[in-house]
Structure formats: C-alpha cells, structure tokens
Amino acid sequence: MKLNKIFKNILLVVFAGIMLSACATKKVTNQMQGDVYTGKDTVEYLASGVPDRVFFATNESVLTTASRETLRKQAGWLRKNSKINVVLEGHADERGTREYNLALGERRANAAKDYLMTYGISGNRISVISYGKERPVDSGSNPLAWSKNRRSVTVKAN
Amino acid sequence: MKKTKLYILAVLFIMIPKTSFGLIEVDITRGNLNPLPIAVSPLFVESKSVKEFQNLLKKENIGEDISSVVENNLKSSGLFNPLKKEAFLQKPDIAHLKPRFEDWSLIKAQALITGEVKFENDKLRVEFRLWDVLAGKEMMALAFTTVPDNWRRVGHIITDKVYQRLTGEKGYFDTRIIYVSEEGPKTKRVKKLAIMDQDGYNTKYLTLGNELVLTPRFNPTNQMVTYLSYFKNLPRVYLLDIETGVQEVVGDFPGMTFAPRFSPDGKKIIMSFAKDGNSEIYTMDLENRIVEKITNHPSIDTSPSFSPDGKYICFNSDRSGYQQIYVMKSDGSKVKRISFGNGLYGTPVWSPRGDLIAFTKLHKGKFYIGVMRVDGSGERLLTENYYQEAPSWSPNGRVLIFYRETKSDSEGKGFSAKLWSIDLTGYNERLVDTKTDASDPSWSSLLSE
C-alpha cells in the first residue's frame, strides 16, 4: 500500500515535470508557436488570401493546423485554376548536416504534396524539389530566422 | 577505369636499408607537444641548372622554394619543428655531401634534410638525404625525376618519404583536396567545384557556378569525382572526369539523387535516392550500369560510406526517430545502429584504416567532429564549434578535414565557411587556406602511389 502510494507520487512528480518541460518548449511569441514560424514576414501570395508557404518545427515534416489551412486554400485555388502546375520547394534550416537536410527538405515538400492530393489535386500537377539548407530566405543565425527557413514553398511552374 | 598517371618518371636511386636501431622515431599516436626539431637545408641547385630553372619556372632559387614546401608541410603536421634557415652554418652543397653534425646539433637540430636539384634532359632531377644528427648517420637517400612544372609535388613527395621514415606510417602530403568554393550572400550563394593541393596551392575551378553543386568526392585513383549538381534544376548525382572535363548523370532516377561516394574499388557509386518523402540508399555499377537498392525503410537513409574492404556500409538514418549512425553489410542485410550517445549523429565516414568511423554530432546546439570504433564503442569528440560537419580522412587515416561555418547576425553579416583540419589525436587544429569560402572537402589518396 505504502509503496503503491510512493510510486503514485513519483509518477505525479514525473508527470508534472513532463508537463512543465513541454510548456517550456511550447513558447508562444507573436511570430512563433513552439519553434514553428507563424508570422507573415517572408510569405508571398499565389492569389489573394492564398499564402504560398508552410512552416515546420525543427527536424519535423508534420503539418501544423495552420499549415493544413494554408494548403487547403492552395488546393482550392488549384482546383479553380486547373491549368496551373506547381513545384513544391522543400527547405531546411542551417543547423543540420547538408545531406540529411536535402532528404528532410524532400520529405517536407512531399508532406505538403500529399496533403494537396488528399484535397483532390492530381499528383501530375505537382512536382517536388528539395534545396536542403542551400536557399535560406533569412540569412540570420537565430531561432526566428531558422523558423522562416524551415518551409515548403508552392511555386507556379507555368 | 584508368590507372593513376604517374608523373614521376624514374624513381629510386639509392635506398640504403638500415636498422632503425637507436635512430629517431616520431610517435604520431599522441598529441605531440614537443615537435621534433628538424633542419631543412635549401636544396642545392647545380650551377649549370640555375639559368634553366630561372627561364622555365621564373624562380631565382628553385632549391629554396622546394625546401620551403617541405618545411610548411612538416610544420603543418604538428610533429616537426623546422628550424630557421638563418641559423644554418653549413652551405647546402657541402651539407648534402657530408654534413658537419656538430654544426647542426649546435642549433638543436635532431634531423636534417639535404638535397640537390638539377636540370637534366628537360627534366627536374632531385636527390635528397635524411640525416640523424645525434647519431651522425644517414637515414635515407632517394632521387627522382619529374617535369619541372611539378616542382611543388617534389616537395610533397620528399615530405611523404621523410614522414614515413620517421613515423613508420605513410604520409599524406602529395595529395589534393576537392571542395566546394562559396561566394556571395547566404541567400544567393554561388558554389563551384574546386580542387587544390593539400597545402592550398594550385587551385583550379571545375565548374563555373551557374548551378548549385555540392558534396564532391574522389574515386580511388583521383581522376573522377562524383557530386551533386542542380543542373537544369534537377538535383542529380553526376560523375566528372577531371582531365577530360566530361560529365554524366549517374543512373536514370525519377527524382533527387544525392550523397554520392565511390566504392573502395572505384567500380560503384553509392548514393541516396529520394522519392515520395523517403530516401533510400542505392548503388550503381559504373561498368554494367546495374542499379541495386540497398536499404528498404520508410525513413531517411543517407550519407552512405563503404568500409575500405567493401564489405560493410555505414550510413545515416532517422529510423529511430532522430538522425543516428548505422552499419550494415554491403548487400543491405544485418542493419545495426551504432551511435547511442546524447544528441544527433550524421555524416559517418569510414577510416581508410578500417577501424574507426568519423562523424558529425549535434548536441545542445553545438556541433562536434568525432570518431568511434566501427561497433560504436570508444566515442571520442575531437572538436566542438558553433557549426561544423562533413569530415573526410587523410589517406593515412591520421588527419580529418571538415568545414566550419560562423554565426551571422540578423543581416547575414559575419558568416563564413572555411576548411579546417585536425589530427585524430584531437590536437593540431588548423585552418586550411582556400582562395574563397569553402565547404564539403574530400581528401584524395596519395597521388604518387
């Protein structure tokens, strides 16, 4: 009994610790949520209200809620403009080895491609290219600059 | 594949075998805090040859120039301390015939290099000797002939022979580095393939900078290079013949190929192919063009590097969730993770001696170059910095060259990319001179073997 109680307390403490550390990393500023860029600084528009890019967390290729919303807008725009093809350009920040970042950029661009396809855009209209860390938009060496560089950008191909 | 073209025409003049009993030895397995004092006497230029070399090479005293190549090499190894020439008491020609050992030991030299250069049948002929000053004995004598334009290589070959005689291991001085030359702002960096001698001389550019190029690597005979080019905006692995300039795409892949390296026999290229968000490792046989898929896993598998016997491959994978180093048999079987320390691991590269794997490690915002044994034990971090990666081994497996980037401010100012080298001991970290910013270095094998 006693042991069980101690065990429970330990679990509680550990759990609280995890919660705290999770909170510590999920810092929300006006331009970043966690370390995903949420600002508008570098964003361009494919059409009015259709942002051209989505952003990723460090080492991640998971689409955030905001990214999915952006991609749904892109899918809507692509459905209306069925003659337009796009290139998805995947990028990584400068804090990773060059070769791994090439693969990571490709994975990010494909995450965006898959999402566009689930919203009815044919894979034939989408090509993918990774630039790894070779083409940053922000040349600063700081977390905000890196968050702007971890991106997949949808570019008109024709 | 062609055999290495040897520039040295006639080799080996006299080589007196001697027991190394009691003679100088340099231990290269530890950081050397007391480099061996060595005197490099300027090579004596035979009087009839002086004019010829002046006309041909525009050098007043080619003997002095060659000996400074030797001195710089010896100094950069960190194992030797070349003494100042002003202190030398004996003239080069006399010293080469019969050194007065008392004079050389007076200036604290423990070893002495002497020599003579001649212009003979349109060729440069050099002969040199290595002396043990304290024992009062000749340790080595060697002569060879080459085309006069190759005079810097003469200095590198002399250094390799002296290094080998004194350390018992092959040198790494008659070698080249291929790398990516970088210019311009970070957001619009212009990159070219460049090649230079190991000491930073004779830089040549192999591409013009019209397209992005990355990660060049030599084949075992140093005549071919495999690299990644964004030619026509299609990132693909290319093969370039350095002498003819002929380039070709490696394989016919419907997507990005990257991270190429040659197999140790030079017959295959191993690389990654990315498709649908998944990068796998492939090989392509350069003779019969057969492509083989080596890995099969829905994660990123990249940065492959063969063991020197060709039986194993180390590579980088995030199948555990994060970048780690794995080893497998060359057919892709028996995949085993070997990196288990804190942090992320990338760019594994197998040592030419076979016993170690060098890597890049990212831990708590710092980047490290390190080595571990091939089973993952004995991890040793050699250098820590803000950003550095992509080690490449010297052909004797004693030195690593890599690139390092500096932090930039919010405007991108302060950024630089440079090549650095460090001994396996963790000592003797040095900036490698390049004409421009530089990254992705790859060390050739010895050219004169």
Side-chain angles (χ1 to χ4, degrees):
Chain A
M1 281 298 126
K2 223 178 194 178
L3 263 179
N4 209 349
K5 202 173 180 186
I6 291 169
F7 189 59
K8 263 187 189 162
N9 282 336
I10 289 172
L11 262 185
L12 267 177
V13 170
V14 169
F15 191 64
I18 289 168
M19 291 296 285
L20 276 174
S21 64
C23 291
T25 55
K26 284 276 179 242
K27 198 169 62 187
V28 180
T29 67
N30 52 0
Q31 295 200 76
M32 280 200 277
Q33 184 166 16
D35 66 352
V36 180
Y37 185 65
T38 52
K40 300 264 181 275
D41 251 15
T42 54
V43 179
E44 289 172 28
Y45 291 84
L46 293 162
S48 171
V50 187
D52 70 338
R53 65 196 62 199
V54 295
F55 299 96
F56 297 87
T58 303
N59 275 320
E60 288 292 345
S61 53
V62 176
L63 299 169
T64 62
T65 312
S67 296
R68 290 198 294 267
E69 194 188 320
T70 296
L71 290 168
R72 283 196 298 272
K73 286 176 186 163
Q74 291 186 5
W77 172 76
L78 280 166
R79 272 197 303 273
K80 269 183 251 158
N81 299 275
S82 59
K83 295 228 165 80
I84 292 176
N85 293 346
V86 288
V87 182
L88 304 189
E89 299 177 346
H91 299 268
D93 66 34
E94 65 182 12
R95 302 299 286 164
T97 54
R98 194 182 310 287
E99 292 178 336
Y100 182 80
N101 275 354
L102 287 169
L104 184 57
E106 203 263 352
R107 189 151 80 181
R108 284 174 175 160
N110 270 290
K113 178 183 172 180
D114 288 346
Y115 199 78
L116 289 178
M117 285 170 72
T118 59
Y119 278 82
I121 308 305
S122 159
N124 297 331
R125 297 175 62 194
I126 309 167
S127 56
V128 155
I129 186 169
S130 171
Y131 287 100
K133 59 175 175 175
E134 306 304 317
R135 291 287 178 262
V137 284
D138 190 320
S139 49
S141 296
N142 58 70
L144 183 61
W146 298 328
S147 73
K148 292 179 200 171
N149 293 334
R150 290 187 296 269
R151 68 200 192 277
S152 171
V153 184
T154 304
V155 179
K156 280 191 231 174
N158 54 346
Chain B
M1 204 132 298
K2 284 176 283 179
K3 280 252 164 196
T4 315
K5 188 187 279 176
L6 275 187
Y7 293 97
I8 307 154
L9 298 171
V11 193
L12 216 76
F13 162 59
I14 24 166
M15 196 161 172
I16 304 167
K18 283 217 167 108
T19 47
S20 60
F21 190 111
L23 294 179
I24 328 163
E25 272 174 56
V26 177
D27 185 355
I28 57 177
T29 58
R30 276 171 289 171
N32 204 316
L33 301 176
N34 292 307
L36 183 87
I38 187 166
V40 185
S41 172
L43 306 188
F44 172 67
V45 186
E46 190 214 34
S47 55
K48 282 181 284 178
S49 305
V50 173
K51 269 250 147 53
E52 306 276 6
F53 287 130
Q54 280 171 355
N55 290 338
L56 260 173
L57 302 171
K58 314 278 174 259
K59 296 278 175 197
E60 283 307 305
N61 187 337
I62 193 67
E64 269 179 20
D65 287 312
I66 293 173
S67 69
S68 26
V69 171
V70 177
E71 273 182 305
N72 287 338
N73 284 341
L74 290 172
K75 191 155 189 265
S76 76
S77 77
L79 302 171
F80 302 94
N81 172 26
L83 301 169
K84 286 206 172 69
K85 286 191 161 80
E86 295 84 73
F88 295 178
L89 297 169
Q90 218 178 358
K91 286 213 170 104
D93 50 338
I94 319 276
H96 183 54
L97 288 175
K98 176 101 193 70
R100 219 165 31 246
F101 294 111
E102 317 83 74
D103 284 3
W104 296 103
S105 71
L106 200 66
I107 62 165
K108 306 272 190 289
Q110 289 185 35
L112 166 68
I113 299 170
T114 64
E116 188 182 9
V117 202
K118 272 184 204 163
F119 186 72
E120 217 177 65
N121 306 324
D122 294 336
K123 297 278 189 314
L124 183 155
R125 184 179 188 283
V126 64
E127 99 185 26
F128 75 95
R129 294 195 173 99
L130 171 67
W131 309 85
D132 184 326
V133 172
L134 301 184
K137 278 184 177 156
E138 183 183 298
M139 292 182 83
M140 179 173 60
L142 209 59
F144 53 92
T145 306
T146 181
V147 290
D149 279 344
N150 263 344
W151 65 270
R152 292 198 69 88
R153 283 196 62 197
V154 170
H156 296 317
I157 293 167
I158 293 175
T159 319
D160 281 327
K161 298 297 173 194
V162 168
Y163 181 98
Q164 186 170 1
R165 184 67 185 83
L166 294 175
T167 68
E169 301 208 10
K170 283 199 169 142
Y172 53 88
F173 300 98
D174 187 25
T175 56
R176 293 197 179 117
I177 310 287
I178 191 158
Y179 63 97
V180 171
S181 155
E182 301 191 3
E183 282 170 299
K186 264 169 122 175
T187 50
K188 289 180 197 144
R189 209 71 166 150
V190 173
K191 298 195 172 190
K192 300 174 193 168
L193 293 189
I195 192 167
M196 66 180 187
D197 293 352
Q198 145 281 130
D199 60 354
Y201 283 81
N202 294 324
T203 303
K204 287 188 190 82
Y205 297 96
L206 304 177
T207 62
L208 299 168
N210 297 330
E211 59 273 325
L212 178 62
V213 290
L214 303 169
T215 63
R217 276 99 191 220
F218 282 112
N219 77 336
T221 59
N222 308 313
Q223 279 164 336
M224 311 286 269
V225 177
T226 183
Y227 65 103
L228 172 59
S229 171
Y230 277 70
F231 183 64
K232 291 188 175 163
N233 231 14
L234 295 170
R236 295 290 185 276
V237 168
Y238 280 75
L239 185 63
L240 165 69
D241 185 314
I242 298 175
E243 269 179 55
T244 64
V246 174
Q247 298 184 46
E248 59 171 307
V249 185
V250 175
D252 181 22
F253 291 90
M256 175 172 71
T257 47
F258 61 110
R261 273 181 206 278
F262 283 91
S263 60
D265 61 6
K267 289 181 178 158
K268 286 180 183 174
I269 286 177
I270 190 165
M271 64 200 148
S272 280
F273 163 49
K275 191 173 184 293
D276 303 333
N278 178 26
S279 295
E280 300 283 12
I281 293 169
Y282 286 72
T283 56
M284 193 185 97
D285 190 302
L286 292 171
E287 272 166 33
N288 58 25
R289 307 273 144 176
I290 290 174
V291 170
E292 277 183 87
K293 189 178 182 191
I294 307 295
T295 55
N296 190 9
H297 198 281
S299 66
I300 291 173
D301 294 327
T302 191
S303 301
S305 164
F306 272 103
S307 63
D309 62 8
K311 288 181 181 161
Y312 295 91
I313 295 162
C314 59
F315 66 104
N316 199 197
S317 177
D318 64 0
R319 57 185 67 190
S320 71
Y322 293 98
Q323 262 180 291
Q324 297 292 344
I325 298 171
Y326 291 75
V327 168
M328 61 186 168
K329 292 184 84 171
S330 57
D331 63 1
S333 67
K334 300 229 161 66
V335 178
K336 193 179 144 228
R337 177 172 162 185
I338 63 160
S339 62
F340 287 97
N342 294 321
L344 306 184
Y345 292 78
T347 75
V349 52
W350 215 297
S351 146
R353 306 162 73 93
D355 55 343
L356 294 171
I357 289 170
F359 57 82
T360 306
K361 172 172 171 154
L362 165 59
H363 183 51
K364 291 191 175 166
K366 292 276 185 193
F367 282 79
Y368 302 81
I369 303 294
V371 292
M372 59 174 73
R373 285 198 281 274
V374 301
D375 62 359
S377 66
E379 175 176 323
R380 210 150 52 77
L381 300 177
L382 306 179
T383 159
E384 174 199 303
N385 213 272
Y386 167 72
Y387 189 86
Q388 53 193 355
E389 68 147 316
S392 172
W393 292 92
S394 65
N396 70 353
R398 287 293 173 192
V399 186
L400 288 162
I401 189 166
F402 53 94
Y403 81 92
R404 184 176 278 174
E405 288 177 353
T406 54
K407 206 170 180 165
S408 44
D409 67 13
S410 52
E411 267 85 59
K413 287 194 195 103
F415 178 74
S416 73
K418 300 283 178 199
L419 305 188
W420 289 77
S421 70
I422 192 161
D423 285 9
L424 187 50
T425 56
Y427 291 91
N428 196 33
E429 183 176 281
R430 308 181 88 88
L431 176 68
V432 179
D433 235 358
T434 46
K435 290 226 181 329
T436 58
D437 269 14
S439 60
D440 293 358
S442 172
W443 211 318
S444 79
S445 55
L446 276 174
L447 300 176
S448 49
E449 267 192 333

